Every structure is written in structure tokens, then in C-alpha cells.
């Protein structure tokens, strides 16, 4: 039984007496329904609570250990401090062996043992560094820590551990330049193999429990890591192409939530749908400004077909994101048959075409017009879809997209106040009429 | 099924122990066999959330203009040899692209026409940190240059051994001059 159905079942069971009283169900039928639904899935909610508290407890203990370490006892001699540094590591390893032998089937045990062990690795390295005044750079510390944590993720099949690993990879790619937090160096491309090392564990997690909270947490961490890494990659490869690669990225994020996979959180929208909407609309609005297409880099010879290997590799990764978005969109179109709103997925091809025009002509007007057109059509399509299906939320979302586009246009054009006033009244009326139509339809149906 | 997991975990566990152990081993070698150098400090201060509190150090030697090896860019790893000046303090002698023979050199990063030394934090207890910072500032002002560190150098590794203020190790100095 799907986790998301539980509230529905509770509602149904509460309705039963009324249905019997109203003569809609016979008492036997009601009893049969009650039997059918109350025998199933008694352990589920308790298990989630247990996992959650175990994970939280382990995180708190791990953080507590790190804080104790940060207190830095200098009244202790060096060997004693070293022994203390190794103690949490040795204890967590003992616990890990116990879990592998005796509690391997229990997710809370595995998650807790893995998190404690991962925290202990970092603690041991940090405390030894402090004791011996070893300076080492921060990025390297994170890298060693994450590489030592990775096998633990696989051995213990831990979703929180995997999320920590992805976050660690993000911290690494952002801090790998030493002092300068922004700016990219070719070394940053190593973040992709680093992320790929975690992907098989992620796929296993998806297979095991697609709609679980741990899976969602890990997926979010992976998406954030991919966004940061892609940002760094754009700085190395074809720099003007970030418009295309991030259009691809947000399209993929949207489709992960919206595409029709088997058993994929069917009763309510996936959080990635919301994230995808926000990303796609924000970037589309940004690119609908002419200024966002004015760039000195169009003339850069290195652009898109770079001559050196790291640049070439980076450009390959940028293009790979676009290809992934296009293939993913094709798959969704083929499988979906009109259930989900796939219009936002058109963002990737539109952004690529706009980029191609800008690259070829160097004229910022055409690409910005294209993006304006796309955003308008996206809003209208969503609005009409919502009205037709009687879904007020979707209709309002479409209106909202149109409204944001209209507001954006006021920022970069010099319309008179009168024109702006009329336009705002029109948009306001649009919202009212939309809702009126939707609710009337719903009432009529 | 269980046994392969245990074997893999045993290897992983050994690797986990080996990383901090190798740090200790390398540092112990330096502390035992390294040559002692005195570096005079010059001032700063942040908080490193991950590793407790420390005094951020800068050195006179880091402001010394050097001639970088040919084709070496900023941020690149270089090998630095050190000499003693008449005051008995260390200053940079040569900056090389490759490790020299012998044990007495430091691995550092090139920063334009200067080098950035690989020891710029001195960790102190949470309790002592504010007093240590204040004392360090008091002793490394422009008009009063009384702070230096003792560093042991061995095959590229530089082990920061002690911070001296007014001729005393930090701990003793703080006991002799308690915060008012």
C-alpha cells in the first residue's frame, strides 16, 4: 500500500458510519471495508518515525562529538588526544560490525551506524589535525572524508549518508579553489566522476523505495550538487552556453517530478514539479530581458568549440545536460498521453534555439522575443489546461506566469503609467474571470 | 552474503584508521627529525566552524619579495628553502619548482611575487582563544614585534610547534599575563 494513501483510508473509515446510516452501504459491506483496510500496513508509520528519530539522534550525537572536539583540550598530552581522536572512530566501527552481523535488515540501525561512522571519520581527521597543528586545505579534507564515506554508503544502503556524500561533493567543488569561493578551475570537473560514484547507490535507492522521504532528500541533495557543479562547469566550458545547460538542468528537474514513472508518487504532485516550475519560469523570465543576451563572449573564439581538453570536456558536459533534457522530454511525451503538463519541458529546446540565434547574429532582440513568446504560450497553455479540466490551481498558475511576464516587461520598457495601469487591471480581471469560469464549470459538472 | 560485507568493511575500516594514523606518522617524523626555524609573525582572525578556534598567523617571510621559478603561476606548489638572518629569524632563501635534495625544505604555494607558507593557523582552546587573540595582537603590532613561531621542517612538511609571545610559549604567556 502506498504511504500517500493512508490519510485517504483514515477518511474513508471515518465516513463509514454515516454511509451506513444514510443507507448507502449495508452494515456488512461497511464491516468488510473496515476489515479490508484496517488489517493492512500497521507497521508503516511507526517505522518512519523510528527511522526519523534514529537518524536525528545519530546526527545530534555526531554533531555533539564534533563540538566536543572543537573545544580542544590542551591540558591533555598529545598521545591522549590522539587516543581520544580514534575512540569515536573505533566505537562507530564496532557498532557498524554489529549492525552488519545482526541488524542488517533494519533500516534505522543501518542509517544510524552509517551516519555515526561518517561523522567519526571527519572527527578523527579534524582532531588529529588540530592536535598536531596540521594545516591542510579545507577542500582536500572534505575530499578525503567523502571518499572514505562512500563505501559506507554502499555497505549500509543509507539514504541520509548518500545525501551527505552529495552535499560533501558540492562543498568540495565550491571550495576547491582555496580562498576564492567563486570562479572555476579545470580541477572542478572531477566533481562529475565524484557524483557518478554515488549514482549506483541512488539508483538502488530508487528501486527500493521511490517515494520515500530518504529518497526525496537524496534526490534534492543530488539536484543541488548537480546545479553547483554545472555552474562551475559553465565557467570552464563554453561560457555563454550556461543559458542552454541550465535550461536543460531545470527541464530535467521538472521532468523527474512530472514524468509518468511506474509507482511514482501518483496521488499528489512531486516536489520536483514545484522546483522545476520555479526554476524554469525564473530562468525564462531572466532570459526574456534583452540585457541577458548582451554578452562580450559571443565573439570569444573558445566559445562552444574549445581547443583545450578541459574546456572541451566541460562543453561536452554542458551539451550532455541539454541532450538529457531532450531525451527525457521525448520519453515523457511518448509515455504520458496528456496526463501531466509537459509544456515547461519545451524550455530546453527553446533556450537552445535562442542561444543559437544569439550566437549567430549577435543580436539580443530575437532571442529575448523568443523567450517572451515561450513564457506567454506556457502561461496561456497552462491556464487553458486548468480551465478545461476545472483545476483552479493550474489555471491560476498559468495566470501567474503571464502576470510575472507582464511585470517583467514593465521593468525594461518605458510605458506610460496609464498603459501600465490598464495592463495591471487587465491581469487582475484575468485572475478573477479565470477563477469564476473554473468554479462555475466545477459547480456545473 | 554477510561475509563479503564484513571483509569489505574491514578494508574500509582500515582505510578510515589509516588516514589519521598516516597524518600522525608524518608529523611525528617531522617533529623528531626536523630542523628548527623561527618565523616572526605579522597580524588577522576568523573562526573555523569545523575545527574549533585558532589564531590566524601571518609572517614577515610572506611579505618578502622572491624570484619565482620560471613558468610558475600563482597558486602553484613550490619548494622553499630557508636561511637565518642576523637576528636568528628565518627568511626565504630559494623558491624552486622541484624538490631539492636533503631534508630541509618546505612545500608552499606561490602567491605572485611572494610565497604563502603552509602554516597560518595556531589552534588554541575555546577558553583561551579570546585572550590568545588579544595577546597575539598586542605582541605583533607594528611598533612592538615580539611574536614568533617555532617550526620544524622535514622533507617538505612544516610542523608548527609553538607560538611564542614576548619570548614565552603562548600558554605560559597567558598564565603570566592573565586577562584583566
Amino acid at each position: 500500500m502506498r504511504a500517500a494513501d493512508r490519510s485517504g483510508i483514515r477518511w474513508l473509515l471515518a465516513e463509514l458510519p454515516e454511509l451506513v446510516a444514510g443507507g448507502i452501504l449495508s452494515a456488512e459491506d461497511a464491516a468488510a471495508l473496515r476489515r479490508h483496510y484496517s488489517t493492512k500496513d500497521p507497521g508503516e508509520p511507526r517505522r518512519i518515525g523510528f527511522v526519523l528519530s534514529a537518524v536525528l539522534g545519530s546526527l545530534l550525537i555526531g554533531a555533539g562529538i564534533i563540538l566536543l572536539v572543537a573545544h580542544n583540550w590542551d591540558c591533555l598530552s598529545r598521545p591522549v588526544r590522539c587516543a581520544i581522536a580514534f575512540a569515536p572512530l573505533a566505537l562507530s566501527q564496532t557498532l557498524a560490525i554489529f549492525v552488519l552481523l545482526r541488524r542488517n535488515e533494519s533500516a534505522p540501525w543501518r542509517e544510524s551506524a552509517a551516519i555515526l561512522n561518517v561523522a567519526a571519520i571527519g572527527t578523527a581527521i579534524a582532531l588529529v589535525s588540530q592536535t598536531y597543528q596540521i594545516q591542510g586545505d579545507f577542500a582536500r579534507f572534505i575530499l578525503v572524508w567523502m571518499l572514505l564515506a562512500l563505501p559506507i554508503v554502499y555497505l549500509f544502503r543509507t539514504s541520509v549518508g548518500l545525501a551527505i556524500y552529495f552535499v560533501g561533493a558540492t562543498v568540495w567543488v565550491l571550495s576547491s579553489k582555496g580562498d576564492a569561493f567563486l570562479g572555476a578551475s579545470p580541477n572542478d570537473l572531477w566533481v562529475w566522476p565524484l557524483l557518478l560514484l554515488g549514482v549506483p547507490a541512488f539508483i538502488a535507492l530508487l528501486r527500493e523505495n521511490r517515494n520515500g522521504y530518504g529518497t526525496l532528500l537524496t534526490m534534492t541533495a543530488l539536484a543541488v550538487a548537480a546545479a553547483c557543479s554545472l555552474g562551475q562547469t559553465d565557467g570552464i566550458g563554453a561560457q555563454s552556453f550556461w543559458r542552454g545547460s541550465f535550461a536543460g538542468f531545470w527541464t530535467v528537474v521538472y521532468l523527474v517530478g512530472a514524468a509518468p514513472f511506474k509507482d511514482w508518487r501518483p496521488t499528489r504532485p512531486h516536489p520536483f514539479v514545484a522546483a522545476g516550475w520555479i526554476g524554469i519560469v525564473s530562468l525564462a523570465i531572466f532570459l526574456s530581458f534583452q540585457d541577458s543576451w548582451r554578452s562580450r563572449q559571443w565573439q570569444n573564439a573558445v566559445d562552444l568549440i574549445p581547443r583545450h581538453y578541459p574546456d572541451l570536456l566541460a562543453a561536452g558536459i554542458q551539451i550532455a545536460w541539454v541532450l538529457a533534457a531532450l531525451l527525457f522530454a521525448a520519453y515523457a511525451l511518448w509515455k504520458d498521453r496528456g496526463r501531466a503538463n509537459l509544456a515547461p519541458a519545451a524550455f530546453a529546446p527553446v533556450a537552445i534555439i535562442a542561444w543559437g540565434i544569439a550566437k549567430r547574429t549577435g543580436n539580443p532582440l530575437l532571442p529575448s522575443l523568443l523567450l517572451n513568446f515561450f513564457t506567454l504560450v506556457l502561461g496561456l497553455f497552462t491556464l487553458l489546461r486548468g480551465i478545461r479540466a476545472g483545476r483552479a490551481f493550474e489555471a491560476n498558475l498559468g495566470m501567474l506566469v503571464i502576470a510575472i511576464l507582464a511585470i517583467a516587461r514593465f521593468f525594461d520598457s518605458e510605458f506610460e503609467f496609464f498603459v501600465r495601469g490598464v495592463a495591471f487591471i487587465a491581469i487582475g480581471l484575468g485572475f478573477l474571470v479565470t477563477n469564476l469560469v473554473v468554479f462555475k464549470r466545477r459547480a456545473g459538472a | 552474503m554477510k561475509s563479503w560485507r564484513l571483509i569489505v568493511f574491514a578494508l574500509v575500516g582500515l582505510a578510515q584508521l589509516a588516514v589519521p594514523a598516516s597524518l600522525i606518522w608524518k608529523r611525528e617524523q617531522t617533529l623528531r627529525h626536523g630542523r628548527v626555524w623561527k618565523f616572526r609573525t605579522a597580524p588577522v582572525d576568523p573562526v573555523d566552524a569545523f575545527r574549533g578556534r585558532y589564531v590566524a598567523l601571518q609572517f614577515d617571510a610572506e611579505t618578502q619579495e622572491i624570484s619565482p621559478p620560471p613558468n610558475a603561476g600563482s597558486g602553484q606548489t613550490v619548494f622553499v628553502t630557508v636561511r637565518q638572518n642576523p637576528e636568528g629569524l628565518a627568511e626565504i632563501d630559494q623558491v624552486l619548482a622541484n624538490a631539492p635534495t636533503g631534508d630541509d625544505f618546505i612545500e608552499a604555494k606561490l602567491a605572485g611575487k611572494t610565497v604563502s607558507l603552509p602554516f597560518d593557523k595556531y589552534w588554541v582552546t575555546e577558553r583561551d582563544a579570546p585572550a590568545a587573540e588579544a595577546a597575539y595582537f598586542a605582541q605583533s603590532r607594528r611598533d612592538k614585534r615580539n611574536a614568533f613561531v617555532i617550526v620544524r621542517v622535514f622533507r617538505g612538511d612544516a610542523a608548527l610547534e609553538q607560538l611564542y609571545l614576548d619570548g614565552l610559549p603562548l600558554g605560559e604567556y597567558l598564565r603570566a599575563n592573565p586577562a584583566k
Side-chain angles (χ1 to χ4, degrees):
Chain A
M1 186 167 309
R2 293 191 296 261
D5 291 348
R6 249 183 286 117
S7 56
I9 292 168
R10 251 193 315 251
W11 172 83
L12 179 65
L13 292 180
E15 287 289 293
L16 287 179
E18 203 173 315
L19 291 173
V20 173
I24 295 156
L25 278 180
S26 70
E28 293 84 62
D29 289 342
L33 275 175
R34 195 170 287 129
R35 255 199 318 281
H36 176 74
Y37 281 113
S38 44
T39 48
K40 284 194 176 173
D41 123 86
E44 267 289 297
R46 218 180 308 141
R47 207 181 68 91
I48 289 173
F50 187 32
V51 174
L52 215 64
S53 55
V55 166
L56 205 66
S58 318
L59 278 175
L60 283 174
I61 294 173
I65 293 172
I66 288 176
L67 279 180
L68 279 182
V69 162
H71 192 272
N72 192 358
W73 316 274
D74 69 345
C75 44
L76 305 171
S77 71
R78 236 180 235 148
V80 174
R81 276 191 270 168
C82 286
I84 292 174
F86 279 97
L89 188 53
L91 280 176
S92 74
Q93 288 182 344
T94 315
L95 177 71
I97 290 171
F98 167 75
V99 170
L100 280 181
L101 284 176
R102 294 287 161 81
R103 296 284 184 274
N104 199 19
E105 297 317 311
S106 155
W109 276 100
R110 277 188 280 118
E111 295 273 356
S112 316
I115 292 169
L116 277 178
N117 186 247
V118 168
I121 302 166
T123 309
I125 299 174
L127 187 48
V128 165
S129 300
Q130 207 173 351
T131 302
Y132 280 90
Q133 305 279 358
I134 296 170
Q135 317 275 322
D137 71 281
F138 182 70
R140 196 138 155 215
F141 166 67
I142 294 285
L143 183 63
V144 170
W145 187 1
M146 287 308 121
L147 286 178
L148 285 173
L150 185 64
I152 299 300
V153 169
Y154 280 89
L155 278 173
F156 290 86
R157 290 164 285 152
T158 150
S159 54
V160 181
L162 185 59
I164 293 174
Y165 174 78
F166 287 140
V167 170
T170 313
V171 173
W172 177 78
V173 73
L174 290 178
S175 61
S176 62
K177 272 85 44 199
D179 291 337
F181 207 65
L182 296 171
S185 83
N187 242 344
D188 291 351
L189 290 181
W190 283 104
V191 75
W192 295 109
L194 208 58
L195 291 179
L196 281 179
L197 283 174
V199 165
F202 179 62
I203 291 171
L205 201 64
L206 277 181
R207 286 230 172 102
E208 199 180 312
N209 185 4
R210 283 192 172 192
N211 298 313
Y213 290 107
T215 313
L216 185 61
L217 175 75
T218 312
M219 204 187 318
T220 309
L222 180 58
V224 171
C228 293
S229 310
L230 190 57
Q232 295 302 104
T233 307
D234 286 337
I236 302 162
Q239 292 189 352
S240 69
F241 197 64
W242 70 266
R243 297 163 178 87
S245 64
F246 267 94
F249 172 79
W250 286 115
T251 304
V252 168
V253 166
Y254 178 76
L255 287 172
V256 164
F261 297 114
K262 209 171 154 238
D263 304 333
W264 188 243
R265 200 172 279 263
T267 52
R268 64 181 101 154
H270 195 274
F272 270 43
V273 172
W277 267 110
I278 294 172
I280 288 173
V281 171
S282 314
L283 188 54
I285 292 289
F286 178 76
L287 292 178
S288 74
F289 285 90
Q290 275 196 53
D291 277 349
S292 69
W293 295 95
R294 285 200 182 97
S295 167
R296 270 165 293 142
Q297 287 149 354
W298 301 122
Q299 277 73 42
N300 191 344
V302 181
D303 225 337
L304 196 60
I305 309 169
R307 275 170 284 181
H308 312 291
Y309 121 84
D311 316 16
L312 201 62
L313 196 62
I317 293 166
Q318 291 176 298
I319 292 168
W321 271 96
V322 175
L323 286 179
L326 294 180
L327 287 175
F328 203 171
Y331 167 84
L333 268 180
W334 172 52
K335 280 276 183 187
D336 184 72
R337 299 191 188 92
R339 264 171 298 168
N341 181 0
L342 291 178
F347 186 41
V350 167
I352 290 303
I353 293 168
W355 177 84
I357 295 172
K359 171 92 180 134
R360 192 156 272 272
T361 64
N363 179 355
L365 181 66
L366 277 174
S368 71
L369 279 181
L370 186 57
L371 263 297
N372 273 298
F373 180 69
F374 164 75
T375 315
L376 185 65
V377 170
L378 176 64
L380 282 175
F381 178 82
T382 309
L383 171 68
L384 293 177
R385 221 181 104 90
I387 291 177
R388 207 171 299 142
R391 281 190 293 262
F393 182 79
E394 196 172 8
N396 280 318
L397 181 63
M399 273 308 294
L400 185 68
V401 171
I402 297 170
I404 294 174
L405 181 66
I407 292 168
R409 287 292 63 77
F410 283 135
F411 270 111
D412 68 342
S413 51
E414 293 179 354
F415 290 115
E416 281 177 35
F417 281 118
F418 175 74
V419 181
R420 296 188 195 196
V422 170
F424 275 111
I425 291 169
I427 291 168
L429 280 176
F431 266 111
L432 291 177
V433 171
T434 306
N435 285 297
L436 211 67
V437 169
V438 170
F439 284 113
K440 268 220 162 148
R441 278 202 170 202
R442 219 191 255 171
Chain B
M1 186 62 187
K2 269 180 186 171
S3 63
W4 76 260
R5 281 187 192 278
L6 272 186
I7 293 167
V8 173
F9 183 76
L11 293 175
V12 173
L14 280 179
Q16 291 178 353
L17 294 169
V19 168
S22 70
L23 288 176
I24 294 176
W25 168 251
K26 191 174 170 200
R27 213 16 88 94
E28 281 292 345
Q29 291 301 98
T30 306
L31 288 173
R32 244 169 242 166
H33 307 296
R35 178 164 171 193
V36 174
W37 291 98
K38 262 184 185 177
F39 282 86
R40 183 146 78 184
T41 63
V44 245
D45 91 313
V47 172
D48 184 332
F50 278 78
R51 287 173 262 183
R53 299 202 63 140
Y54 58 83
V55 179
L57 305 169
Q58 276 189 348
F59 301 95
D60 279 1
E62 285 178 314
T63 58
Q64 192 184 327
E65 200 161 296
I66 48 103
S67 52
N71 304 325
S74 244
Q76 194 179 314
T77 300
V78 287
F79 299 88
V80 173
T81 60
V82 195
R83 63 167 182 251
Q84 218 166 30
N85 70 8
E87 291 175 79
L89 295 162
E91 56 183 37
I92 288 164
D93 186 14
Q94 285 177 297
V95 179
L96 308 158
N98 298 306
T101 51
D103 299 333
D104 199 15
F105 61 91
I106 305 172
E107 223 178 293
K109 288 260 190 287
L110 200 60
K113 288 238 172 234
T114 59
V115 289
S116 163
L117 294 170
F119 38 88
D120 54 7
K121 301 178 183 103
Y122 189 80
W123 278 294
V124 290
T125 62
E126 209 177 14
R127 180 167 34 91
D128 288 347
E133 255 165 36
Y136 172 66
F137 278 122
Q139 295 297 329
S140 48
R141 291 200 310 260
R142 292 214 179 279
D143 52 333
K144 193 176 181 188
R145 308 293 307 276
N146 273 331
F148 64 86
V149 295
I150 292 287
V151 175
R152 280 187 186 265
V153 174
F154 186 64
R155 295 184 192 164
D157 192 29
L160 191 54
E161 209 169 35
Q162 187 58 264
L163 171 63
Y164 282 83
L165 298 178
D166 214 6
L168 294 171
L170 177 67
E172 278 178 42
Y173 177 88
L174 290 178
R175 271 191 290 282
N177 303 279
K180 282 138 213 157

